[in-house]
Amino acid sequence: MPTVRSKWGAVQPLTELLQAIVSNDDNLSYGSIISVYTGDDESVTALTDDGMKELDQMLKDARRSPQEWKDFLDSFVDEEELVARIKAKSTR
């Protein structure tokens, strides 16, 4: 599983955070999150180029301060357990 290592030492499971953000299509602009069908009844969630840029900017904005990061998590991640784990490691 890919991980993100920050300069403040916490390791976050990137895929869980990204899945939580894109699981709600209201988090990004219309058309930014798409389903790509890989088989008869199988699909994966993907982001368009615009969706990647939007997500990148959202994350940059959220990381300006510890409070903005916590507000971002509360607003865009519905999984309370994941939010609690990330907040516990966010010590900058």
Side-chain angles (χ1 to χ4, degrees):
M1 173 181 290
T3 57
V4 173
R5 296 182 194 280
S6 72
K7 61 185 173 190
W8 36 270
V11 176
Q12 302 297 334
L14 176 61
T15 54
E16 283 184 85
L17 179 58
L18 292 177
Q19 286 173 349
I21 292 169
V22 301
S23 68
N24 181 348
D25 60 0
D26 289 334
N27 286 342
L28 296 173
S29 299
Y30 179 78
S32 294
I33 303 170
I34 59 173
S35 293
V36 177
Y37 291 92
T38 59
D40 292 335
D41 293 327
E42 296 178 22
S43 66
V44 294
T45 301
L47 296 176
T48 62
D49 287 341
D50 289 341
M52 291 293 293
K53 290 175 189 171
E54 187 177 351
L55 179 61
D56 182 56
Q57 189 60 50
M58 285 172 56
L59 292 171
K60 284 179 183 176
D61 292 344
R63 297 300 294 166
R64 284 190 233 165
S65 73
Q67 186 58 48
E68 286 186 53
W69 179 242
K70 290 177 182 178
D71 292 344
F72 170 81
L73 293 172
D74 290 335
S75 298
F76 291 101
V77 181
D78 293 331
E79 299 174 33
E80 292 179 22
E81 181 183 314
L82 178 60
V83 170
R85 282 190 291 138
I86 293 170
K87 283 182 179 180
K89 293 187 177 193
S90 297
T91 59
R92 84 165 152 144

